[in-house]
Amino acid sequence: MSRPILEVIALDAEDAVAAQAGGADRLELVTDMAADGLTPRRETFAAIRAAVDLPLRVMLRATDGFAAGGAAALDALCGAARELREEGADEFVLGFLTLDGQPDLAALTALTEAIGAGAHGGDSRWTFHRAIDRAAARDALRKQVADLPGLDTYLTAGSAAGVDDGMPTLLAEAARGAERPEPEPGYAPRIMAGGGLRLDHLPALRAAGVDAFHIGGASRPAGWSGPVDAAAVREWREALDAPVPAEGWG
């Protein structure tokens, strides 16, 4: 098994440097965690890009919640995505639902075109974030968005309530993604576990084959008012570098 991916939320260059020093493999760039993470400014991306050499996944989200908003709001978000792409961003995080909990395919298609993904003429990759945990039907969502170009990861806790409640779902989806000779339709993208993730969740997830993990508050002993702490990130890195356990959950 390859080394597990550890992704850490970074708000600025200071966070990014500390996360890299602690052993992070990738950063998710956001602003305004009071709204659960919105799109950072182009200048913030540029400053972080200059400070570290890690892959950077940039959040595309203009308001709290999982609705893309009206046409004007979506146009503005697509414009921000194109600016970030011009600045050098080529990895993103996005995910939108309609009011009835279905994937907003119009918004998702517009944004994949804006970032230049796959069939749209570019090579940008992206994560469908925790909107999947609020979807009316997870399995149906996976199948509906399976053909969107560039999608390679789901950031998910398995439940809107967090990994504690979502563990059975995460384990079941990991098994469906590991089916051979090929995964079930909709289950090829990597699962990145995140959302109330704790160190004691890791053994069961890793034993099930989950190989990507996302932390935010866990990297900040002082809370969101304080910076990422390299030692806190290192604790996660060391836990993920330990041998894969053979144990179940619960």
Side-chain angles (χ1 to χ4, degrees):
M1 181 179 292
S2 61
R3 165 176 157 130
I5 293 173
L6 176 59
E7 180 180 88
V8 178
I9 292 176
L11 303 177
D12 54 30
E14 179 184 6
D15 284 348
V17 169
Q20 180 167 275
D25 298 293
R26 191 167 83 194
L27 304 179
E28 180 186 87
L29 308 190
V30 307
T31 190
D32 195 357
M33 283 305 300
D36 286 333
L38 305 181
T39 302
R41 296 170 62 242
R42 177 176 183 165
E43 294 80 3
T44 301
F45 170 83
I48 294 174
R49 177 71 292 158
V52 298
D53 57 7
L54 296 177
L56 309 178
R57 291 224 165 176
V58 187
M59 178 65 72
L60 296 177
R61 187 165 175 253
T63 60
D64 196 0
F66 299 99
L74 181 58
D75 286 347
L77 190 57
C78 287
R82 285 189 288 269
E83 286 187 0
L84 287 159
R85 178 72 172 164
E86 290 169 2
E87 194 64 46
D90 59 3
E91 300 187 40
F92 297 88
V93 183
L94 59 135
F96 296 100
L97 303 175
T98 61
L99 294 178
D100 60 352
Q102 305 302 316
D104 187 338
L105 295 175
L108 294 168
T109 298
L111 282 163
T112 57
E113 291 175 350
I115 65 176
H120 299 310
D123 58 359
S124 291
R125 293 162 292 161
W126 58 280
T127 298
F128 194 107
H129 61 49
R130 290 196 61 208
I132 189 176
D133 294 338
R134 277 79 171 177
R138 296 174 65 94
D139 182 68
L141 181 147
R142 281 176 170 271
K143 290 176 170 57
Q144 286 175 278
V145 306
D147 293 331
L148 288 173
L151 172 61
D152 67 1
T153 303
Y154 281 99
L155 170 59
T156 175
S159 164
V163 173
D164 264 343
D165 285 0
M167 181 66 78
T169 296
L170 292 176
L171 300 183
E173 291 185 345
R176 295 173 78 174
E179 289 184 1
R180 295 292 180 267
E182 61 183 37
E184 249 186 83
Y187 289 83
R190 164 183 268 132
I191 291 174
M192 173 167 277
L197 185 68
R198 300 191 308 268
L199 288 166
D200 63 285
H201 292 134
L202 299 185
L205 290 168
R206 295 192 65 211
V210 176
D211 64 354
F213 302 87
H214 171 96
I215 59 172
S219 68
R220 299 168 186 269
W224 286 104
S225 62
V228 169
D229 180 72
V233 176
R234 191 171 300 112
E235 182 179 17
W236 283 80
R237 178 75 271 157
E238 291 172 356
L240 290 173
D241 286 344
V244 178
E247 59 181 77
W249 170 252

